[in-house]
Amino acid sequence: MKGSEEIDLHSCSNELQLLLRLLNEEEDSIKLIEEFYKKVDWKEFLQLVYFHKVYPSIYLRLSSIDSPYLPNNVVKIVEDLYKDNTIKMLQLIKELDNISTALTKNKIRMLTLKGPILSYYLYGDLSSRTSNDLDILISFQDLKSTIEILQAKGYEMEYEPPRKLKDWQKRNHHLEFLHKEKNCKVEVHWRLHPGPSKEPSFEDLWNNRKTVSIGSTAFHTLGEEILCYYLVTHGARHGWFRIRWLVDIVQLLKREEDINSCPKAFMENKSCHLYQQVLYLVENLQLSPKRYQRKIKKQSKGLAQKAFLFMRERINFFHPPDKIWDKEGKKYLFMMKPFKQKAAYIIRKFYANSWDAEVLPLPKSLHFLYLPLRPILWLWRVILKQKVSLRRL
């Protein structure tokens, strides 16, 4: 497998080329259908629309086309996805209001991340963006109370990471909850990203929050510059394998008069290379008419080229299809870290963590023994993991 390659739309399938060009609002949709209708496998095209979660945008484009070359069943399928998503988003906003009210009543400050609030903020409605869950951000000090409130409302924690040592709150950044009856998933964040990474404190995020009003209800979310920082770093951390995340960035770029200066939030959090990465992606995928006038750094270009592979090959970044793609993903994640973060990541490998304490529980007075025992405990965890895998065969 190549480590990276130039971003060339002609290396993409006809179906992906059509999808990307339809997402460019400056393209003439009728002419696009006339150009591609003989070359496109419409079933494959629909699979791409679903995988990349862009059916709201694609439906709005296709529904305005009056062309004999566009199959009616294709429009109908995308329309059904669009309608189902609208219903889902209405359900999510209702549940978000329910959770927000409960947390506010208990004096817990909450910021919303992504979800229906992001759709309303970026697109002006609840139906133009997809979301399967709710993401909320709270102060770590309020985590215990928030868990109790959600559990009282019928939510169950889907997975609870080991909490034997203090490292767990930095290694992790959220917990996932599911309400089985409502089929609603909530991710409770106390950090924007897993550590070690440099990012704004909750107090800074709260003090610079933005309020989005939907009807008579007000929700708090990230301020615009921090929102851009979060969406870019979140997309980069996921390898940009879904085009939906890039479409969000294009919406944000429309609001910016000058995209050539790296925003302050990126500079403060050592992420300017990720800002350049996304600008290189949206420009070379022809998703945005805006052009970045400065030279793209080699690191940013390399990251963009790797992300292009994940996107083109439809690689779900955290559920790779095989060991080769898993290795590529891990290389990419290490490559995107700034130097100090790479050093912290390597050093952290030599320190004990909560998974070690799960394998060999020790009293607090003996926690210093985890350091010399780390290689043995790591090997033992690998053996246990292999045994579990063999049982499943």
Side-chain angles (χ1 to χ4, degrees):
M1 179 184 295
K2 295 180 182 179
S4 62
E5 62 181 67
E6 290 297 327
I7 298 176
D8 180 9
L9 288 184
H10 295 293
S11 71
C12 301
S13 66
N14 289 323
E15 293 76 20
L16 183 54
Q17 288 184 52
L18 175 59
L19 178 68
L20 288 166
R21 291 180 66 180
L22 280 171
L23 290 170
N24 184 340
E25 295 176 357
E26 294 195 341
E27 291 268 16
D28 187 315
S29 53
I30 294 178
K31 289 182 179 179
L32 283 175
I33 297 300
E34 291 175 354
E35 178 185 346
F36 279 92
Y37 81 97
K38 286 185 178 179
K39 301 185 285 186
V40 165
D41 179 335
W42 290 106
K43 184 178 179 180
E44 174 69 12
F45 174 77
L46 289 170
Q47 289 176 351
L48 281 172
V49 170
Y50 185 78
F51 176 82
H52 289 291
K53 306 300 180 187
V54 290
Y55 32 89
S57 300
I58 295 299
Y59 169 68
L60 293 174
R61 291 282 271 165
L62 296 184
S63 63
S64 64
I65 298 175
D66 183 13
S67 171
Y69 305 115
L70 178 62
N72 291 330
N73 68 308
V74 171
V75 180
K76 181 66 170 62
I77 290 171
V78 180
E79 180 182 17
D80 289 343
L81 289 171
Y82 176 81
K83 289 179 178 178
D84 289 344
N85 179 64
T86 301
I87 293 170
K88 177 69 174 178
M89 294 294 269
L90 290 171
Q91 292 170 340
L92 286 175
I93 196 69
K94 181 181 178 181
E95 187 62 13
L96 182 63
D97 185 24
N98 180 26
I99 293 170
S100 177
T101 301
L103 294 183
T104 302
K105 187 178 179 181
N106 286 272
K107 298 181 179 180
I108 296 175
R109 298 170 296 172
M110 182 193 91
L111 294 170
T112 61
L113 305 173
K114 300 180 293 180
I117 302 303
L118 180 60
S119 178
Y120 193 84
Y121 178 65
L122 288 183
Y123 301 93
D125 59 51
L126 297 174
S127 58
S128 292
R129 188 184 187 276
T130 63
S131 185
N132 291 319
D133 56 17
L134 295 172
D135 294 81
I136 64 173
L137 179 71
I138 59 167
S139 168
F140 183 77
Q141 296 174 342
D142 294 322
L143 180 61
K144 183 178 178 181
S145 298
T146 302
I147 292 173
E148 292 172 353
I149 290 168
L150 287 176
Q151 289 176 335
K153 286 185 168 294
Y155 282 89
E156 297 176 9
M157 197 179 300
E158 287 202 292
Y159 167 73
E160 184 172 4
R163 301 192 205 181
K164 304 289 185 180
L165 304 178
K166 289 183 178 180
D167 73 300
W168 80 273
Q169 69 186 66
K170 289 185 179 180
R171 288 176 180 266
N172 300 278
H173 69 298
H174 73 269
L175 294 175
E176 298 177 3
F177 296 83
L178 176 67
H179 197 297
K180 292 181 179 178
E181 290 182 8
K182 295 181 179 180
N183 190 29
C184 184
K185 185 177 176 180
V186 177
E187 291 188 1
V188 178
H189 299 247
W190 55 91
R191 291 174 57 90
L192 295 176
H193 305 296
S197 62
K198 192 176 187 312
E199 63 177 54
S201 67
F202 179 80
E203 293 302 322
D204 287 339
L205 296 175
W206 180 259
N207 291 334
N208 292 284
R209 68 190 181 278
K210 184 178 182 66
T211 301
V212 176
S213 296
I214 300 179
S216 59
T217 307
F219 299 93
H220 302 302
T221 188
L222 301 175
E224 188 154 323
E225 186 175 309
I226 294 295
L227 176 64
C228 180
Y229 161 78
Y230 171 64
L231 293 179
V232 168
T233 49
H234 172 272
R237 189 164 52 83
H238 288 74
W240 297 106
F241 72 83
R242 290 205 200 279
I243 295 173
R244 175 187 68 184
W245 299 322
L246 289 173
V247 175
D248 290 340
I249 300 303
V250 171
Q251 288 297 120
L252 276 175
L253 292 179
K254 289 179 182 179
R255 302 164 182 252
E256 299 296 324
E257 292 183 8
D258 177 24
I259 66 169
N260 293 298
S261 299
C262 184
K264 184 180 177 182
F266 288 87
M267 291 190 287
E268 289 179 344
N269 295 286
K270 312 299 181 186
S271 301
C272 285
H273 61 298
L274 301 181
Y275 179 70
Q276 284 198 340
Q277 178 203 22
V278 73
L279 292 179
Y280 187 78
L281 274 170
V282 297
E283 181 175 329
N284 283 271
L285 294 174
Q286 299 175 20
L287 292 172
S288 172
K290 292 196 173 183
R291 295 292 176 260
Y292 186 68
Q293 303 298 327
R294 298 190 179 184
K295 184 179 179 180
I296 298 288
K297 292 180 180 179
K298 185 178 179 180
Q299 181 189 15
S300 302
K301 189 174 181 180
L303 288 170
Q305 290 165 346
K306 282 185 174 291
F308 171 66
L309 288 179
F310 299 135
M311 181 198 319
R312 189 187 67 187
E313 303 302 323
R314 263 183 283 178
I315 303 301
N316 187 325
F317 199 69
F318 291 103
H319 300 284
D322 54 47
K323 291 182 179 179
I324 295 175
W325 281 111
D326 183 48
K327 185 178 179 180
E328 285 295 314
K330 288 175 180 176
K331 283 168 59 179
Y332 167 87
L333 285 174
F334 187 75
M335 180 180 170
M336 68 174 278
K337 300 177 190 294
F339 177 77
K340 285 186 178 180
Q341 194 175 330
K342 285 177 181 175
Y345 174 81
I346 293 170
I347 292 170
R348 191 181 69 173
K349 291 290 184 183
F350 295 94
Y351 282 84
N353 58 50
S354 293
W355 283 270
D356 294 333
E358 189 90 342
V359 173
L360 180 64
L362 292 174
K364 193 171 183 178
S365 59
L366 296 178
H367 278 185
F368 68 92
L369 291 175
Y370 283 125
L371 188 58
L373 288 171
R374 180 117 219 298
I376 299 170
L377 293 172
W378 174 81
L379 181 61
W380 182 242
R381 289 209 317 273
V382 171
I383 294 171
L384 289 176
K385 188 177 180 180
Q386 288 177 344
K387 285 184 177 179
V388 170
S389 299
L390 288 171
R391 288 195 199 105
R392 290 174 178 172
L393 294 176

